[in-house]
Amino acid sequence: MTVEEFEEFYAQAAGRLTGQLYVMLGDHHEAQDVVQEAFVKGWGRRRQLDVEGRPEAWIRTVAWRLAVSRWRVRRRTADAWERTAPAAYVPGPGPEAVALVEALRHLPLKQRRTLALHYLCDLTVEQIAAETSLSASTVKTHLTRGRATLSRHLQDPRIEEAPDA
């Protein structure tokens, strides 16, 4: 089939094949997509289509197979989504958590790490020293300075400090 013959075949058969696939699939847009894709595949095989003598049947069969393949992909995707449990509702962070994260940002990295290891991981000063290659006295210094900095940043501005008596 020459380029001109294929173009003429496309002009004559595309609408008819789209209608046929629409009846088979029940989805007009899907029918249009698979027929177009089948014609693209047919373009590369236009010489063989001429030899076979039934190019319309070939395009229709390819379009049908493409639609079935799409169904399988959609089904596998839907099955995968069904197998995964929906994520449980997790409320957003409260104002206290937001304030704490903001206050932690004001700490130097080593102090922040030391506080996290001590308060979140429940490590002792000696365990932190071993993990961070710091001396125990440096770990204690980081903890003391980090707590002091956090205290300043976490003070409630609505509460006025009591004047010295």
Side-chain angles (χ1 to χ4, degrees), residues 26-44:
D27 182 335
H28 190 255
H29 293 292
E30 184 75 8
Q32 289 174 322
D33 286 348
V34 295
V35 168
Q36 287 299 320
E37 194 171 338
F39 268 106
V40 169
K41 291 180 182 295
W43 174 259

Side-chain angles (χ1 to χ4, degrees), residues 17 21 26 31 61-62 64 91 93 113-114 120 122 138 145 149:
L17 286 166
L21 268 292
T61 302
V62 169
W64 174 256
R113 181 178 182 204
T114 303
L120 295 178
D122 290 326
T138 304
R145 290 181 181 168
T149 303

Side-chain angles (χ1 to χ4, degrees), residues 72-140:
R72 288 181 181 145
V73 168
R74 285 187 198 121
R75 185 66 202 160
R76 282 191 301 266
T77 303
D79 288 346
W81 277 107
E82 288 176 8
R83 282 192 301 269
T84 58
Y89 172 75
V90 178
E96 298 85 11
V98 172
L100 177 60
V101 169
E102 183 59 34
L104 285 168
R105 287 186 180 138
H106 292 283
L107 295 177
L109 184 59
K110 288 183 180 182
Q111 286 180 13
R112 191 178 332 148
R113 181 178 182 204
T114 303
L115 285 168
L117 290 171
H118 185 68
Y119 291 105
L120 295 178
C121 302
D122 290 326
L123 298 182
T124 65
V125 170
E126 292 74 25
Q127 290 170 322
I128 295 170
E131 187 169 320
T132 61
S133 300
L134 299 172
S135 68
S137 62
T138 304
V139 170
K140 290 177 185 176

Side-chain angles (χ1 to χ4, degrees), residues 2-100:
T2 65
V3 170
E4 293 80 19
E5 290 172 333
F6 189 85
E7 289 174 351
E8 184 180 331
F9 164 60
Y10 175 81
Q12 291 175 357
R16 183 172 49 252
L17 286 166
T18 300
Q20 293 167 359
L21 268 292
Y22 171 50
V23 170
M24 292 179 204
L25 302 174
D27 182 335
H28 190 255
H29 293 292
E30 184 75 8
Q32 289 174 322
D33 286 348
V34 295
V35 168
Q36 287 299 320
E37 194 171 338
F39 268 106
V40 169
K41 291 180 182 295
W43 174 259
R45 296 180 45 110
R46 64 185 180 275
R47 286 186 176 75
Q48 289 90 358
L49 288 177
D50 188 36
V51 172
E52 292 173 8
R54 297 190 52 202
E56 193 167 325
W58 188 89
I59 297 289
R60 186 175 34 255
T61 302
V62 169
W64 174 256
R65 288 179 181 162
L66 288 167
V68 169
S69 178
R70 288 180 177 194
W71 287 339
R72 288 181 181 145
V73 168
R74 285 187 198 121
R75 185 66 202 160
R76 282 191 301 266
T77 303
D79 288 346
W81 277 107
E82 288 176 8
R83 282 192 301 269
T84 58
Y89 172 75
V90 178
E96 298 85 11
V98 172
L100 177 60

